[in-house]
Amino acid sequence: MALTEVTSAEQLQQLAASNGVVVVHFWAGWAPQCEQMNDVLSELSNLHPGVKFVKVEAEQLPDVSEQHEIVAVPTVVVIKGGAPVDRVDGANAAELTKKVAKHASGAGPTSAGAAAPAAAAEDIDARLKKLVNAAPVMLFMKGTPDEPQCGFSRKIVGLLKDAGTEFSTFNILADQTVRQELKRFSDWPTYPQLYVKGELLGGLDIVKELIESGEFATMVPKEETEEQLRERIKSIIEREPVMLFMKGTPDAPRCGFSRTTVGILKEVGAKYGTYDILGDEAVRQGIKKYSDWPTFPQLYVDSEFIGGLDIIKELQETDELKAALKLA
């Protein structure tokens, strides 16, 4: 949802005069971090439809900025009952998310899914915990490193490559459940998100600052040993009873062999997990040695390697595929 642009002191006064919660972003067009905060606030507006989210170009309304003691951008002021009750100075998305949630309580309805059953939340949390620990450095982004689908994702991929960092990725555009639930899990409402050793490091701005200061090099783990990579591949294989290592995703296969395999598995009604090897060069190369099989896709059932497309087609033609997938 787009933020309302406030162009006068009177307009802001009218908005603030209501009994509801108004979140005001003081920003400037020349500051790139303000654009990121606009994206954060836009996401939060979808989560808290009972709250009004507006933006004020600080230099265009100096009297308003002075009234709210704005000395730098971005700054976000929370107004409740006509008076300022809280603020966030700087591009701190996590703190902003917490404070908006705190003051939005009771301000109106929240988006659907916020009250998901506890059992379902536990299931998705277990899955997300596996995902953020899937590699020492995990980047959740829009698209893939070769084909980023947003400017922020493209920039962070470039920064990580320039820093010589080995990292794996997850394309959140291919999984809407992960895309929405990871925001809650991370307490971070935008993408990309970078995890190191299972802990959230932050988004583009934080990663950029850490790289520029030299801190990033001390935070990321050294290159995986062959044994560590083998253990990681084993843990990925064990995620689901049936795991397919492919190029792309089931909704967007990136090669004909992967597309055909997905079609066959769909035809027999198989439930399976997938891993996009295009987003993880270490796994892409390492699993060839692990399985002693040089091509993709690769299919595993109960952690046992079944084969590639030719074997899958052969099993289908001899009516043995359902048995191999434990469907029969």
Side-chain angles (χ1 to χ4, degrees):
M1 186 182 298
L3 306 184
T4 300
E5 180 81 50
V6 171
T7 57
S8 70
E10 292 75 17
Q11 183 183 0
L12 184 59
Q13 286 173 356
Q14 289 177 356
L15 289 167
S18 65
N19 291 324
V21 176
V22 182
V23 177
V24 187
H25 178 207
F26 288 87
W27 72 297
W30 48 263
Q33 59 268 41
C34 289
E35 289 297 334
Q36 184 180 9
M37 293 303 281
N38 278 335
D39 289 340
V40 171
L41 289 163
S42 182
E43 291 284 353
L44 290 175
S45 70
N46 292 325
L47 294 173
H48 303 287
V51 176
K52 295 176 183 176
F53 290 84
V54 303
K55 59 182 180 179
V56 174
E57 194 161 0
E59 294 175 349
Q60 297 300 315
L61 296 177
D63 291 342
V64 175
S65 298
E66 183 178 350
Q67 177 188 351
H68 290 281
E69 300 179 352
I70 306 301
V71 296
V73 292
T75 294
V76 177
V77 176
V78 181
I79 298 174
K80 195 170 186 178
V85 293
D86 217 334
R87 67 189 289 141
V88 176
D89 294 295
N92 192 331
E95 184 181 2
L96 176 61
T97 301
K98 290 178 182 177
K99 290 193 173 184
V100 169
K102 170 187 171 184
H103 295 292
S105 178
T110 55
S111 62
E122 289 177 6
D123 289 343
I124 186 62
D125 281 2
R127 183 185 173 204
L128 293 174
K129 188 172 182 180
K130 287 183 180 179
L131 284 175
V132 301
N133 285 281
V137 181
M138 273 296 295
L139 176 65
F140 293 82
M141 62 178 290
K142 294 181 179 179
T144 65
D146 291 336
E147 293 186 5
Q149 297 297 309
C150 79
F152 295 129
S153 293
R154 182 177 296 106
K155 287 178 182 177
I156 200 168
V157 166
L159 288 172
L160 293 174
K161 286 183 176 179
D162 289 346
T165 305
E166 288 195 4
F167 62 99
S168 300
T169 65
F170 186 92
N171 179 10
I172 54 98
L173 297 180
D175 191 320
Q176 288 301 313
T177 300
V178 171
R179 180 179 186 177
Q180 297 303 324
E181 291 295 331
L182 188 62
K183 298 175 187 177
R184 173 190 57 79
F185 183 87
S186 307
D187 199 11
W188 194 273
T190 60
Y191 292 99
Q193 294 183 16
L194 187 70
Y195 275 79
V196 174
K197 299 178 184 177
E199 297 292 331
L200 177 68
L201 202 60
L204 173 61
D205 285 346
I206 290 176
V207 172
K208 185 178 180 181
E209 288 177 11
L210 290 171
I211 289 176
E212 290 174 348
S213 69
E215 291 181 71
F216 187 74
T218 68
M219 301 173 76
V220 296
K222 304 301 181 184
E223 184 176 347
E224 282 180 294
T225 64
E226 186 172 334
E227 183 59 31
Q228 287 172 332
L229 177 59
R230 185 174 182 84
E231 283 301 311
R232 184 157 72 89
I233 290 172
K234 181 174 180 288
S235 71
I236 295 171
I237 291 170
E238 292 173 346
R239 283 184 192 172
E240 302 287 347
V242 180
M243 276 295 296
L244 178 67
F245 290 78
M246 61 180 291
K247 294 181 179 180
T249 65
D251 291 334
R254 297 284 298 281
C255 78
F257 296 130
S258 293
R259 182 178 295 106
T260 301
T261 301
V262 167
I264 292 173
L265 294 176
K266 183 177 181 180
E267 185 178 326
V268 299
K271 292 183 178 180
Y272 60 99
T274 65
Y275 194 84
D276 181 4
I277 53 94
L278 296 180
D280 192 330
E281 188 62 23
V283 169
R284 181 177 184 175
Q285 300 304 325
I287 200 169
K288 295 176 185 178
K289 185 175 181 179
Y290 185 98
S291 62
D292 195 21
W293 193 267
T295 59
F296 295 97
Q298 295 187 14
L299 184 69
Y300 288 78
V301 177
D302 290 338
S303 301
E304 295 294 325
F305 179 57
I306 299 299
L309 176 58
D310 287 346
I311 290 177
I312 294 169
K313 289 174 72 174
E314 184 178 325
L315 289 170
Q316 184 190 34
E317 290 166 0
T318 57
D319 293 326
E320 297 177 83
L321 182 58
K322 286 189 176 181
L325 294 169
K326 310 293 176 72
L327 297 175

